[in-house]
Amino acid sequence: MKKIGIIGYGWLGTRIGERFSENFEIFTTTTSPQKLEDIRSKGIHADLAFFSEEKNEFPELWNSITELDIIIITVPFSERRTSKEILEKKLSSLFSFTGKFEKQIFFMSTTSVYPDKPGIFTEEMQPSENVFVENKIKEAFPHINILRLGGLMGDGRLLKNFKISDVSGVVNHIHYEDIAAIILKMIEKNSMGKIYNVVAPLYPSKQQVLAVQNNQDIERTNQDDYKRIISSEKLISELEYTFIYPDPKSFHEGRNINLL
C-alpha cells in the first residue's frame, strides 16, 4: 500500500484524504492541536506543523517524510493577500519540513494566476516562471505537478452560499471529487513536472448556476460582456480524463463515487 502525505488538512485536504484512505496509507499535518486526535481516530497519521509567515524559525524535517511515496501540498499561498517577503518565509518553512523530496509531488495552485479579464486562458499563456509562488516551489522541486484549481465546490460549498456582488460572467469551478480523481489518474500515470488547469469543462453563467441551486427557472443570459474561461483541454487530452461533474450547475447533486 502506497503512503501519501497531505500537507494541509483543511477543506480540500480532508476530502482528498477521505477518498484515498481505503487504498492508501495517509499521513497528514494540521495546525490545530484540537483536530489532531480527531484525525488520528480515523486511522490517519497526523502531526502538527506550522509554516510561519513572520518568524525565521523553521520546522524540523517531517519525521514521516522518508516513508512517503507521494506528497500533496494543499497549504494556501495567496499572492493577492500576502507580500512576497512573507510568502518566501512561508515557503522556506515548507521546504525545511519536506526536505529534498524526489518522489511524486503535487502542489495545489489557483486559476487566479490568470488575468482578470475576458479571454480563454491556457497553461502556456502563464508559465510558472511568471508566477512567484509556482516559480519558487518549482525551483525546489523541478519535478512537481502544479494543479491550478478553479473555484472549489462540492458538498455544502455552493455558489448560492457565497455573497455574490456581481453575477455577470461565467463560472470557472471544480468539484472536489474531480480533483481527487485527477490526482489519482496522475498517480497511476506517474506524472511528473506537469501543469494543468483543473476546471470543469462547461462554463455556465453565475446567474444560471444560482438559479438551479435556488430551484428557480434558468434565465437566458448575455455572457458576451464578460467571458473569462480557464481551459481544461490540456488535462482532458493528456490524461484522457472524463469529468465526474462537467457542469457546475449539477454540483449540488451529490453522488457516491468510488474513485479507486
Side-chain angles (χ1 to χ4, degrees):
M1 181 178 285
K2 284 190 173 183
K3 299 178 179 180
I4 294 182
I6 302 175
I7 300 179
Y9 212 60
W11 189 89
L12 179 59
T14 300
R15 283 158 176 77
I16 293 173
E18 288 173 350
R19 273 137 194 83
F20 284 8
S21 60
E22 290 186 7
N23 296 76
F24 297 90
E25 189 172 356
I26 308 296
F27 295 73
T28 192
T29 69
T30 179
T31 59
S32 171
Q34 291 76 23
K35 288 184 179 180
L36 203 58
E37 289 308 315
D38 179 57
I39 296 171
R40 288 173 176 171
S41 70
K42 297 175 182 176
I44 295 171
H45 307 276
D47 294 297
L48 287 174
F50 300 90
F51 305 107
S52 175
E53 299 179 352
E54 299 174 356
K55 300 178 181 178
N56 291 320
E57 300 174 4
F58 301 129
E60 295 181 358
L61 185 69
W62 194 4
N63 55 15
S64 301
I65 202 76
T66 56
E67 299 183 56
L68 302 179
D69 300 293
I70 301 155
I71 288 178
I72 301 170
I73 302 170
T74 68
V75 177
F77 289 85
S78 175
E79 294 187 36
R80 290 184 174 181
R81 303 176 185 175
T82 314
S83 70
K84 289 183 178 179
E85 180 182 3
I86 290 176
L87 285 172
E88 281 192 292
K89 289 181 179 179
K90 190 173 180 180
L91 284 165
S92 295
S93 291
L94 175 66
F95 301 152
S96 177
F97 187 66
T98 59
K100 294 183 178 180
F101 192 77
E102 296 180 348
K103 301 175 186 177
Q104 198 175 31
I105 183 169
F106 296 83
F107 176 64
M108 303 298 106
S109 185
T110 171
T111 54
S112 66
V113 302
Y114 297 106
D116 188 10
K117 64 181 183 181
I120 299 175
F121 297 94
T122 64
E123 293 85 347
E124 291 72 24
M125 295 171 70
Q126 185 66 288
S128 59
E129 290 77 14
N130 295 345
V131 181
F132 179 77
V133 171
E134 289 185 3
N135 185 48
K136 288 293 182 182
I137 206 161
K138 200 169 182 181
E139 286 177 354
F141 308 106
H143 60 294
I144 198 165
N145 295 305
I146 297 174
L147 304 186
R148 294 171 173 170
L149 307 182
L152 301 179
M153 296 293 169
D155 290 342
R157 192 180 179 110
L158 301 171
L159 187 64
K160 70 175 184 178
N161 296 329
F162 290 81
K163 186 177 181 180
I164 309 297
S165 58
D166 181 9
V167 296
S168 65
V170 299
V171 300
N172 290 276
H173 289 169
I174 183 68
H175 197 287
Y176 69 85
E177 295 274 14
D178 278 302
I179 298 172
I182 287 163
I183 293 173
L184 175 64
K185 191 91 168 179
M186 295 178 73
I187 290 172
E188 292 173 344
K189 289 179 172 289
N190 195 32
S191 300
M192 296 279 196
K194 298 293 185 178
I195 299 179
Y196 290 132
N197 294 332
V198 182
V199 179
L202 298 179
Y203 311 93
S205 70
K206 294 178 186 178
Q207 287 177 315
Q208 289 174 322
V209 174
L210 289 169
V212 171
Q213 291 177 0
N214 289 311
N215 295 316
Q216 299 171 348
D217 292 334
I218 299 177
E219 299 179 6
R220 291 187 177 183
T221 58
N222 182 3
Q223 298 176 12
D224 295 332
D225 295 335
Y226 191 87
K227 276 191 176 182
R228 177 179 178 269
I229 291 175
I230 311 300
S231 172
S232 55
E233 286 302 314
K234 180 182 176 183
L235 178 154
I236 294 169
S237 174
E238 291 189 4
L239 295 181
E240 299 179 328
Y241 183 72
T242 301
F243 277 79
I244 301 168
Y245 288 92
D247 188 349
K249 296 196 303 295
S250 69
F251 280 7
H252 64 296
E253 300 172 358
R255 308 181 200 172
N256 282 322
I257 300 293
N258 183 7
L259 300 179
L260 306 173

PDB file of all heavy atoms in Angstrom, residues 62-89:
ATOM      1  N   TRP A  62       9.996  16.685   8.447  1.00  0.00           N
ATOM      2  CA  TRP A  62       8.852  15.846   8.820  1.00  0.00           C
ATOM      3  C   TRP A  62       9.341  14.437   9.120  1.00  0.00           C
ATOM      4  O   TRP A  62      10.028  13.816   8.286  1.00  0.00           O
ATOM      5  CB  TRP A  62       7.864  15.836   7.662  1.00  0.00           C
ATOM      6  CG  TRP A  62       6.502  15.295   7.993  1.00  0.00           C
ATOM      7  CD1 TRP A  62       6.043  14.896   9.201  1.00  0.00           C
ATOM      8  CD2 TRP A  62       5.411  15.117   7.063  1.00  0.00           C
ATOM      9  NE1 TRP A  62       4.733  14.473   9.112  1.00  0.00           N
ATOM     10  CE2 TRP A  62       4.314  14.597   7.814  1.00  0.00           C
ATOM     11  CE3 TRP A  62       5.244  15.337   5.688  1.00  0.00           C
ATOM     12  CZ2 TRP A  62       3.093  14.298   7.216  1.00  0.00           C
ATOM     13  CZ3 TRP A  62       4.030  15.049   5.103  1.00  0.00           C
ATOM     14  CH2 TRP A  62       2.966  14.542   5.862  1.00  0.00           C
ATOM     15  N   ASN A  63       8.992  13.922  10.275  1.00  0.00           N
ATOM     16  CA  ASN A  63       9.511  12.618  10.673  1.00  0.00           C
ATOM     17  C   ASN A  63       8.957  11.472   9.829  1.00  0.00           C
ATOM     18  O   ASN A  63       9.471  10.356   9.875  1.00  0.00           O
ATOM     19  CB  ASN A  63       9.237  12.352  12.166  1.00  0.00           C
ATOM     20  CG  ASN A  63       7.757  12.475  12.530  1.00  0.00           C
ATOM     21  OD1 ASN A  63       6.892  12.481  11.657  1.00  0.00           O
ATOM     22  ND2 ASN A  63       7.480  12.605  13.817  1.00  0.00           N
ATOM     23  N   SER A  64       7.930  11.724   9.041  1.00  0.00           N
ATOM     24  CA  SER A  64       7.343  10.686   8.192  1.00  0.00           C
ATOM     25  C   SER A  64       7.850  10.745   6.750  1.00  0.00           C
ATOM     26  O   SER A  64       7.494   9.877   5.939  1.00  0.00           O
ATOM     27  CB  SER A  64       5.812  10.812   8.183  1.00  0.00           C
ATOM     28  OG  SER A  64       5.271  10.690   9.478  1.00  0.00           O
ATOM     29  N   ILE A  65       8.660  11.730   6.430  1.00  0.00           N
ATOM     30  CA  ILE A  65       8.972  12.021   5.028  1.00  0.00           C
ATOM     31  C   ILE A  65       9.638  10.855   4.310  1.00  0.00           C
ATOM     32  O   ILE A  65       9.368  10.589   3.133  1.00  0.00           O
ATOM     33  CB  ILE A  65       9.841  13.306   4.914  1.00  0.00           C
ATOM     34  CG1 ILE A  65       9.720  13.902   3.507  1.00  0.00           C
ATOM     35  CG2 ILE A  65      11.286  13.044   5.273  1.00  0.00           C
ATOM     36  CD1 ILE A  65       8.446  14.615   3.250  1.00  0.00           C
ATOM     37  N   THR A  66      10.499  10.117   4.984  1.00  0.00           N
ATOM     38  CA  THR A  66      11.219   9.021   4.320  1.00  0.00           C
ATOM     39  C   THR A  66      10.299   7.845   4.007  1.00  0.00           C
ATOM     40  O   THR A  66      10.638   6.997   3.171  1.00  0.00           O
ATOM     41  CB  THR A  66      12.387   8.535   5.192  1.00  0.00           C
ATOM     42  OG1 THR A  66      11.879   8.148   6.475  1.00  0.00           O
ATOM     43  CG2 THR A  66      13.422   9.634   5.374  1.00  0.00           C
ATOM     44  N   GLU A  67       9.133   7.772   4.660  1.00  0.00           N
ATOM     45  CA  GLU A  67       8.193   6.676   4.416  1.00  0.00           C
ATOM     46  C   GLU A  67       7.277   6.947   3.228  1.00  0.00           C
ATOM     47  O   GLU A  67       6.658   6.028   2.688  1.00  0.00           O
ATOM     48  CB  GLU A  67       7.317   6.448   5.647  1.00  0.00           C
ATOM     49  CG  GLU A  67       8.057   6.067   6.914  1.00  0.00           C
ATOM     50  CD  GLU A  67       7.084   5.796   8.049  1.00  0.00           C
ATOM     51  OE1 GLU A  67       6.199   4.940   7.862  1.00  0.00           O
ATOM     52  OE2 GLU A  67       7.209   6.452   9.101  1.00  0.00           O
ATOM     53  N   LEU A  68       7.177   8.209   2.824  1.00  0.00           N
ATOM     54  CA  LEU A  68       6.154   8.599   1.859  1.00  0.00           C
ATOM     55  C   LEU A  68       6.546   8.303   0.423  1.00  0.00           C
ATOM     56  O   LEU A  68       7.706   8.440   0.030  1.00  0.00           O
ATOM     57  CB  LEU A  68       5.852  10.093   2.009  1.00  0.00           C
ATOM     58  CG  LEU A  68       5.372  10.551   3.385  1.00  0.00           C
ATOM     59  CD1 LEU A  68       5.143  12.052   3.389  1.00  0.00           C
ATOM     60  CD2 LEU A  68       4.098   9.813   3.796  1.00  0.00           C
ATOM     61  N   ASP A  69       5.534   7.923  -0.377  1.00  0.00           N
ATOM     62  CA  ASP A  69       5.711   7.726  -1.816  1.00  0.00           C
ATOM     63  C   ASP A  69       5.257   8.950  -2.607  1.00  0.00           C
ATOM     64  O   ASP A  69       5.728   9.185  -3.723  1.00  0.00           O
ATOM     65  CB  ASP A  69       4.888   6.512  -2.279  1.00  0.00           C
ATOM     66  CG  ASP A  69       5.310   5.237  -1.586  1.00  0.00           C
ATOM     67  OD1 ASP A  69       6.440   4.779  -1.822  1.00  0.00           O
ATOM     68  OD2 ASP A  69       4.513   4.710  -0.786  1.00  0.00           O
ATOM     69  N   ILE A  70       4.344   9.725  -2.020  1.00  0.00           N
ATOM     70  CA  ILE A  70       3.719  10.858  -2.714  1.00  0.00           C
ATOM     71  C   ILE A  70       3.434  11.946  -1.696  1.00  0.00           C
ATOM     72  O   ILE A  70       3.092  11.648  -0.551  1.00  0.00           O
ATOM     73  CB  ILE A  70       2.386  10.425  -3.372  1.00  0.00           C
ATOM     74  CG1 ILE A  70       2.605   9.298  -4.385  1.00  0.00           C
ATOM     75  CG2 ILE A  70       1.682  11.610  -4.045  1.00  0.00           C
ATOM     76  CD1 ILE A  70       1.382   8.436  -4.604  1.00  0.00           C
ATOM     77  N   ILE A  71       3.576  13.207  -2.113  1.00  0.00           N
ATOM     78  CA  ILE A  71       3.163  14.337  -1.275  1.00  0.00           C
ATOM     79  C   ILE A  71       2.170  15.185  -2.053  1.00  0.00           C
ATOM     80  O   ILE A  71       2.358  15.460  -3.254  1.00  0.00           O
ATOM     81  CB  ILE A  71       4.362  15.211  -0.855  1.00  0.00           C
ATOM     82  CG1 ILE A  71       5.238  14.488   0.180  1.00  0.00           C
ATOM     83  CG2 ILE A  71       3.885  16.535  -0.260  1.00  0.00           C
ATOM     84  CD1 ILE A  71       6.456  15.281   0.606  1.00  0.00           C
ATOM     85  N   ILE A  72       1.111  15.614  -1.370  1.00  0.00           N
ATOM     86  CA  ILE A  72       0.135  16.553  -1.931  1.00  0.00           C
ATOM     87  C   ILE A  72       0.113  17.781  -1.024  1.00  0.00           C
ATOM     88  O   ILE A  72      -0.193  17.670   0.161  1.00  0.00           O
ATOM     89  CB  ILE A  72      -1.268  15.924  -1.996  1.00  0.00           C
ATOM     90  CG1 ILE A  72      -1.256  14.659  -2.858  1.00  0.00           C
ATOM     91  CG2 ILE A  72      -2.280  16.932  -2.546  1.00  0.00           C
ATOM     92  CD1 ILE A  72      -2.543  13.846  -2.774  1.00  0.00           C
ATOM     93  N   ILE A  73       0.457  18.944  -1.580  1.00  0.00           N
ATOM     94  CA  ILE A  73       0.511  20.185  -0.795  1.00  0.00           C
ATOM     95  C   ILE A  73      -0.753  20.992  -1.053  1.00  0.00           C
ATOM     96  O   ILE A  73      -0.991  21.466  -2.170  1.00  0.00           O
ATOM     97  CB  ILE A  73       1.754  21.018  -1.160  1.00  0.00           C
ATOM     98  CG1 ILE A  73       3.038  20.212  -0.932  1.00  0.00           C
ATOM     99  CG2 ILE A  73       1.790  22.317  -0.349  1.00  0.00           C
ATOM    100  CD1 ILE A  73       4.288  20.866  -1.501  1.00  0.00           C
ATOM    101  N   THR A  74      -1.570  21.146  -0.009  1.00  0.00           N
ATOM    102  CA  THR A  74      -2.806  21.926  -0.143  1.00  0.00           C
ATOM    103  C   THR A  74      -2.757  23.215   0.673  1.00  0.00           C
ATOM    104  O   THR A  74      -3.747  23.941   0.740  1.00  0.00           O
ATOM    105  CB  THR A  74      -4.036  21.102   0.282  1.00  0.00           C
ATOM    106  OG1 THR A  74      -3.986  20.872   1.688  1.00  0.00           O
ATOM    107  CG2 THR A  74      -4.097  19.781  -0.452  1.00  0.00           C
ATOM    108  N   VAL A  75      -1.611  23.501   1.301  1.00  0.00           N
ATOM    109  CA  VAL A  75      -1.466  24.737   2.081  1.00  0.00           C
ATOM    110  C   VAL A  75      -1.620  25.935   1.142  1.00  0.00           C
ATOM    111  O   VAL A  75      -0.968  25.999   0.098  1.00  0.00           O
ATOM    112  CB  VAL A  75      -0.089  24.790   2.775  1.00  0.00           C
ATOM    113  CG1 VAL A  75       0.092  26.103   3.520  1.00  0.00           C
ATOM    114  CG2 VAL A  75       0.068  23.607   3.724  1.00  0.00           C
ATOM    115  N   PRO A  76      -2.476  26.915   1.474  1.00  0.00           N
ATOM    116  CA  PRO A  76      -2.687  28.055   0.573  1.00  0.00           C
ATOM    117  C   PRO A  76      -1.540  29.063   0.619  1.00  0.00           C
ATOM    118  O   PRO A  76      -0.992  29.346   1.680  1.00  0.00           O
ATOM    119  CB  PRO A  76      -3.984  28.679   1.095  1.00  0.00           C
ATOM    120  CG  PRO A  76      -4.027  28.312   2.544  1.00  0.00           C
ATOM    121  CD  PRO A  76      -3.377  26.954   2.649  1.00  0.00           C
ATOM    122  N   PHE A  77      -1.198  29.596  -0.549  1.00  0.00           N
ATOM    123  CA  PHE A  77      -0.190  30.651  -0.671  1.00  0.00           C
ATOM    124  C   PHE A  77      -0.790  31.750  -1.539  1.00  0.00           C
ATOM    125  O   PHE A  77      -0.689  31.699  -2.768  1.00  0.00           O
ATOM    126  CB  PHE A  77       1.098  30.120  -1.317  1.00  0.00           C
ATOM    127  CG  PHE A  77       1.892  29.190  -0.449  1.00  0.00           C
ATOM    128  CD1 PHE A  77       1.588  27.835  -0.411  1.00  0.00           C
ATOM    129  CD2 PHE A  77       2.929  29.659   0.325  1.00  0.00           C
ATOM    130  CE1 PHE A  77       2.328  26.971   0.386  1.00  0.00           C
ATOM    131  CE2 PHE A  77       3.678  28.805   1.128  1.00  0.00           C
ATOM    132  CZ  PHE A  77       3.366  27.451   1.160  1.00  0.00           C
ATOM    133  N   SER A  78      -1.441  32.707  -0.927  1.00  0.00           N
ATOM    134  CA  SER A  78      -2.157  33.736  -1.672  1.00  0.00           C
ATOM    135  C   SER A  78      -1.244  34.905  -2.016  1.00  0.00           C
ATOM    136  O   SER A  78      -0.785  35.643  -1.137  1.00  0.00           O
ATOM    137  CB  SER A  78      -3.350  34.247  -0.858  1.00  0.00           C
ATOM    138  OG  SER A  78      -3.978  35.316  -1.532  1.00  0.00           O
ATOM    139  N   GLU A  79      -0.990  35.085  -3.314  1.00  0.00           N
ATOM    140  CA  GLU A  79      -0.156  36.206  -3.752  1.00  0.00           C
ATOM    141  C   GLU A  79      -0.933  37.521  -3.747  1.00  0.00           C
ATOM    142  O   GLU A  79      -0.334  38.595  -3.721  1.00  0.00           O
ATOM    143  CB  GLU A  79       0.401  35.921  -5.150  1.00  0.00           C
ATOM    144  CG  GLU A  79       1.367  34.742  -5.167  1.00  0.00           C
ATOM    145  CD  GLU A  79       2.048  34.572  -6.506  1.00  0.00           C
ATOM    146  OE1 GLU A  79       2.353  35.598  -7.157  1.00  0.00           O
ATOM    147  OE2 GLU A  79       2.281  33.424  -6.907  1.00  0.00           O
ATOM    148  N   ARG A  80      -2.245  37.430  -3.778  1.00  0.00           N
ATOM    149  CA  ARG A  80      -3.062  38.648  -3.775  1.00  0.00           C
ATOM    150  C   ARG A  80      -3.128  39.278  -2.393  1.00  0.00           C
ATOM    151  O   ARG A  80      -3.268  40.477  -2.249  1.00  0.00           O
ATOM    152  CB  ARG A  80      -4.477  38.335  -4.275  1.00  0.00           C
ATOM    153  CG  ARG A  80      -4.547  38.007  -5.760  1.00  0.00           C
ATOM    154  CD  ARG A  80      -5.990  37.814  -6.209  1.00  0.00           C
ATOM    155  NE  ARG A  80      -6.094  37.630  -7.652  1.00  0.00           N
ATOM    156  CZ  ARG A  80      -7.233  37.456  -8.306  1.00  0.00           C
ATOM    157  NH1 ARG A  80      -8.379  37.449  -7.619  1.00  0.00           N
ATOM    158  NH2 ARG A  80      -7.250  37.294  -9.615  1.00  0.00           N
ATOM    159  N   ARG A  81      -3.052  38.442  -1.353  1.00  0.00           N
ATOM    160  CA  ARG A  81      -3.251  38.930   0.008  1.00  0.00           C
ATOM    161  C   ARG A  81      -1.971  39.004   0.826  1.00  0.00           C
ATOM    162  O   ARG A  81      -1.990  39.533   1.941  1.00  0.00           O
ATOM    163  CB  ARG A  81      -4.242  38.008   0.731  1.00  0.00           C
ATOM    164  CG  ARG A  81      -5.587  37.871   0.050  1.00  0.00           C
ATOM    165  CD  ARG A  81      -6.459  36.868   0.775  1.00  0.00           C
ATOM    166  NE  ARG A  81      -7.718  36.644   0.069  1.00  0.00           N
ATOM    167  CZ  ARG A  81      -8.618  35.755   0.432  1.00  0.00           C
ATOM    168  NH1 ARG A  81      -8.409  35.004   1.496  1.00  0.00           N
ATOM    169  NH2 ARG A  81      -9.738  35.605  -0.248  1.00  0.00           N
ATOM    170  N   THR A  82      -0.863  38.479   0.295  1.00  0.00           N
ATOM    171  CA  THR A  82       0.362  38.355   1.087  1.00  0.00           C
ATOM    172  C   THR A  82       1.550  38.905   0.316  1.00  0.00           C
ATOM    173  O   THR A  82       1.655  38.710  -0.898  1.00  0.00           O
ATOM    174  CB  THR A  82       0.617  36.873   1.445  1.00  0.00           C
ATOM    175  OG1 THR A  82      -0.601  36.285   1.907  1.00  0.00           O
ATOM    176  CG2 THR A  82       1.667  36.747   2.529  1.00  0.00           C
ATOM    177  N   SER A  83       2.462  39.573   1.010  1.00  0.00           N
ATOM    178  CA  SER A  83       3.650  40.116   0.363  1.00  0.00           C
ATOM    179  C   SER A  83       4.603  38.992  -0.029  1.00  0.00           C
ATOM    180  O   SER A  83       4.582  37.897   0.548  1.00  0.00           O
ATOM    181  CB  SER A  83       4.365  41.087   1.301  1.00  0.00           C
ATOM    182  OG  SER A  83       4.963  40.381   2.378  1.00  0.00           O
ATOM    183  N   LYS A  84       5.467  39.272  -0.998  1.00  0.00           N
ATOM    184  CA  LYS A  84       6.442  38.272  -1.440  1.00  0.00           C
ATOM    185  C   LYS A  84       7.412  37.912  -0.322  1.00  0.00           C
ATOM    186  O   LYS A  84       7.845  36.757  -0.211  1.00  0.00           O
ATOM    187  CB  LYS A  84       7.202  38.793  -2.668  1.00  0.00           C
ATOM    188  CG  LYS A  84       6.347  38.853  -3.922  1.00  0.00           C
ATOM    189  CD  LYS A  84       7.152  39.289  -5.127  1.00  0.00           C
ATOM    190  CE  LYS A  84       6.281  39.287  -6.374  1.00  0.00           C
ATOM    191  NZ  LYS A  84       7.027  39.730  -7.585  1.00  0.00           N
ATOM    192  N   GLU A  85       7.749  38.880   0.512  1.00  0.00           N
ATOM    193  CA  GLU A  85       8.668  38.610   1.623  1.00  0.00           C
ATOM    194  C   GLU A  85       8.068  37.582   2.587  1.00  0.00           C
ATOM    195  O   GLU A  85       8.747  36.638   3.012  1.00  0.00           O
ATOM    196  CB  GLU A  85       8.973  39.910   2.380  1.00  0.00           C
ATOM    197  CG  GLU A  85       9.923  39.721   3.553  1.00  0.00           C
ATOM    198  CD  GLU A  85      10.166  41.016   4.302  1.00  0.00           C
ATOM    199  OE1 GLU A  85       9.558  42.052   3.955  1.00  0.00           O
ATOM    200  OE2 GLU A  85      10.958  40.974   5.259  1.00  0.00           O
ATOM    201  N   ILE A  86       6.806  37.753   2.918  1.00  0.00           N
ATOM    202  CA  ILE A  86       6.142  36.821   3.829  1.00  0.00           C
ATOM    203  C   ILE A  86       5.965  35.462   3.157  1.00  0.00           C
ATOM    204  O   ILE A  86       6.150  34.408   3.786  1.00  0.00           O
ATOM    205  CB  ILE A  86       4.788  37.388   4.281  1.00  0.00           C
ATOM    206  CG1 ILE A  86       5.012  38.581   5.220  1.00  0.00           C
ATOM    207  CG2 ILE A  86       3.942  36.333   4.974  1.00  0.00           C
ATOM    208  CD1 ILE A  86       3.744  39.279   5.657  1.00  0.00           C
ATOM    209  N   LEU A  87       5.624  35.460   1.869  1.00  0.00           N
ATOM    210  CA  LEU A  87       5.474  34.198   1.150  1.00  0.00           C
ATOM    211  C   LEU A  87       6.790  33.421   1.119  1.00  0.00           C
ATOM    212  O   LEU A  87       6.798  32.195   1.256  1.00  0.00           O
ATOM    213  CB  LEU A  87       4.997  34.463  -0.279  1.00  0.00           C
ATOM    214  CG  LEU A  87       3.524  34.837  -0.438  1.00  0.00           C
ATOM    215  CD1 LEU A  87       3.241  35.268  -1.872  1.00  0.00           C
ATOM    216  CD2 LEU A  87       2.609  33.687  -0.043  1.00  0.00           C
ATOM    217  N   GLU A  88       7.905  34.131   0.943  1.00  0.00           N
ATOM    218  CA  GLU A  88       9.208  33.464   0.926  1.00  0.00           C
ATOM    219  C   GLU A  88       9.496  32.781   2.259  1.00  0.00           C
ATOM    220  O   GLU A  88      10.039  31.674   2.304  1.00  0.00           O
ATOM    221  CB  GLU A  88      10.316  34.462   0.586  1.00  0.00           C
ATOM    222  CG  GLU A  88      10.406  34.759  -0.895  1.00  0.00           C
ATOM    223  CD  GLU A  88      11.668  35.506  -1.269  1.00  0.00           C
ATOM    224  OE1 GLU A  88      11.788  36.677  -0.859  1.00  0.00           O
ATOM    225  OE2 GLU A  88      12.524  34.930  -1.957  1.00  0.00           O
ATOM    226  N   LYS A  89       9.139  33.430   3.368  1.00  0.00           N
ATOM    227  CA  LYS A  89       9.342  32.830   4.685  1.00  0.00           C
ATOM    228  C   LYS A  89       8.478  31.579   4.849  1.00  0.00           C
ATOM    229  O   LYS A  89       8.935  30.556   5.374  1.00  0.00           O
ATOM    230  CB  LYS A  89       9.018  33.843   5.778  1.00  0.00           C
ATOM    231  CG  LYS A  89      10.024  34.977   5.896  1.00  0.00           C
ATOM    232  CD  LYS A  89       9.651  35.935   7.020  1.00  0.00           C
ATOM    233  CE  LYS A  89      10.667  37.050   7.146  1.00  0.00           C
ATOM    234  NZ  LYS A  89      10.310  38.009   8.218  1.00  0.00           N
TER     235      LYS A  89
END
